[in-house]
Amino acid sequence: MSFDLTSADLTSFDLTLLGWSELRAAELPDGTVPARVARIDRGAAEVIAADGQHHVKYGARVRRASSADPVALPCVGDWVALKLLPEGRYELDQVMPRTTAFIRGGVSRDSVGGLSGDGQGQVLAANVDIVFVAEPSMHSTDFADLGRIERLVALAWESGGTPVVLITKSDLFEQGLDDLLADVRVAAPGVAVHAVSSLQGEGVELAGHYLEGSRTAVILGPSGAGKSTLVNALAGGSVMETQHVRAADGRGRHTTVHRELIPLPGGGLVIDTPGIRRIGLYDIGEGVDLVFSDIEALAERCRFGDCGHTGEPGCAVLDALESGELPERRLTSWRKLQREAAWMASRTDARLRKEQQNKWKVIHKEMRRSGRNRP
């Protein structure tokens, strides 16, 4: 899938339609050309510049930066600086500063069920204004996964974008939709929650309002959530392939293989993503606190400032749990994300210490070598 620019004047494409601004222009390195990344494919990028679409390879500067930190790799949504080479083709010389970045941590499950990873992250999308968290209203015999919504909304807040939860396939939910939406609003306090049926067009126009002008949104959610169908509905045509959810287990296939930036006819851009099976936290600060603002508010009423909410006297959190004010599922989810965020922070600190140790080893080695070579 690529941009259809056949109807545009490729010698003078208006980059402001993709979100280019005077502020970004001031950050553009001298002697380079601006472009926005539409897709990443095997160490190269499909980008769109003022003179059209280009397939560009990474320059030495980008390769050096990304070898030290994978977060520095170009990703969909990035604004980049291109350098024109003598042979007439462009090279991706530099990733420009990001206003927002949706980063997932390198967390996985090991053979004994514990967490493993290197503390490094991967940028899923950059310079995103809106993060659509797409969760199907019903899959197989299960309702929406509130824990997954909490996790994705926490990462959305941390990215700098504005999260919006879309409960998709609402036409398949025969009864109790209002109760489901109420449960989701508890799981994502302060976040707009909408029911959407892309096939019937319900809620699509409302979702489109978030993309007025040149705003960019990324759609995140599990396989089978109807992300590509929503993109097609927003675009008013079939720009992404879709597949039906399997009846046997209610799951969909990963129709979208690449993350891809898609301009919409009515303005705005959307990044479609492959289905996410599991997404780890990365560099979490206030994201978890914002998602669990109700628990944070209760914690302020605890007798002790360092209350761990595990049995201390005068614990307002446990009192709310006992009275039914706070659902047990929500407290369990909060504890889980707090543990994971702390674990990821320790892994990141360990990685940084290791990198610093390796740096000094190289310096000391060079110093010893220089000493040996002195006359």
Side-chain angles (χ1 to χ4, degrees):
M1 173 64 196
S2 60
F3 282 115
D4 181 9
L5 299 174
T6 55
S7 61
D9 180 358
L10 300 185
T11 62
S12 59
F13 187 79
D14 186 1
L15 289 183
T16 62
L17 297 176
L18 302 183
W20 185 249
S21 64
E22 293 182 1
L23 180 61
R24 294 192 185 281
E27 298 173 334
L28 184 68
D30 292 339
T32 62
V33 173
R36 195 165 190 194
V37 177
R39 191 175 69 184
I40 299 296
D41 187 14
R42 297 182 181 179
E46 295 288 337
V47 303
I48 176 145
D51 61 350
Q53 187 176 356
H54 302 275
H55 181 82
V56 295
K57 295 182 179 180
Y58 301 161
R61 188 198 305 266
V62 172
R63 293 196 299 271
R64 284 195 302 269
S66 60
S67 64
D69 184 2
V71 171
L73 276 169
C75 75
V76 175
D78 266 328
W79 282 100
V80 296
L82 306 181
K83 180 179 291 186
L84 185 61
L85 300 179
E87 58 265 34
R89 64 178 178 86
Y90 285 120
E91 178 181 78
L92 202 162
D93 181 63
Q94 188 172 337
V95 176
M96 297 180 63
R98 295 161 174 156
T99 54
T100 65
F102 193 99
I103 307 175
R104 68 174 172 186
V107 179
S108 61
R109 291 286 175 182
D110 61 24
S111 59
V112 295
L115 292 172
S116 63
D118 57 10
Q120 295 183 327
Q122 177 191 17
V123 185
L124 298 183
N127 303 313
V128 169
D129 303 291
I130 303 294
V131 180
F132 284 137
V133 175
E135 177 69 25
S137 59
M138 192 172 186
H139 48 89
S140 186
T141 58
D142 300 323
F143 297 137
D145 188 331
L146 299 179
R148 179 166 52 212
I149 291 173
E150 289 164 342
R151 176 182 296 271
L152 290 177
V153 169
L155 286 165
W157 280 127
E158 205 65 36
S159 75
T162 300
V164 176
V165 179
L166 302 180
I167 300 302
T168 60
K169 304 185 178 182
S170 59
D171 55 302
L172 301 180
F173 204 84
E174 296 180 357
Q175 58 183 0
L177 181 60
D178 290 341
D179 291 337
L180 172 59
L181 295 177
D183 289 342
V184 173
R185 291 188 177 100
V186 171
V191 175
V193 178
H194 305 291
V196 174
S197 172
S198 300
L199 294 179
Q200 295 188 358
E202 298 175 0
V204 174
E205 183 177 355
L206 183 60
H209 286 324
Y210 287 98
L211 301 177
E212 291 180 348
S214 58
R215 290 181 179 178
T216 300
V218 61
I219 306 179
L220 299 171
S223 180
K227 299 184 298 297
S228 295
T229 304
L230 176 59
V231 171
N232 289 338
L234 289 169
S238 297
V239 297
M240 300 300 294
E241 293 183 4
T242 60
Q243 289 181 340
H244 294 295
V245 173
R246 295 192 298 264
D249 56 11
R251 297 179 180 177
R253 295 180 180 177
H254 294 271
T255 305
T256 301
V257 178
H258 300 280
R259 287 179 289 277
E260 186 164 356
L261 182 71
I262 301 165
L264 302 176
L269 306 101
V270 64
I271 298 174
D272 192 16
T273 63
I276 297 175
R277 290 190 176 92
R278 191 179 191 282
I279 184 165
L281 302 181
Y282 177 83
D283 195 22
I284 287 294
E286 297 182 352
V288 173
D289 293 342
L290 288 171
V291 171
F292 294 94
S293 57
D294 52 343
I295 295 180
E296 295 297 321
L298 287 169
E300 293 179 358
R301 291 158 35 193
C302 291
R303 181 183 301 178
F304 303 107
D306 60 348
C307 183
H309 321 307
T310 57
E312 298 87 342
C315 176
V317 173
L318 295 182
D319 288 345
L321 183 66
E322 185 176 354
S323 68
E325 177 186 353
L326 178 66
E328 184 175 359
R329 184 212 64 80
R330 189 146 170 80
L331 181 59
T332 300
S333 182
W334 174 79
R335 285 171 172 162
K336 179 179 179 181
L337 292 186
Q338 287 284 355
R339 287 195 303 269
E340 186 174 322
W343 184 87
M344 281 301 300
S346 68
R347 292 294 298 176
T348 300
D349 291 343
R351 176 174 59 85
L352 293 176
R353 287 196 301 271
K354 184 66 175 178
E355 290 176 354
Q356 192 68 15
Q357 290 172 358
N358 291 338
K359 177 181 177 181
W360 281 109
K361 285 180 180 178
V362 172
I363 293 175
H364 291 158
K365 184 177 181 180
E366 290 297 324
M367 290 174 64
R368 291 194 300 270
R369 180 181 301 168
S370 299
R372 288 196 301 268
N373 293 336
R374 288 176 183 174

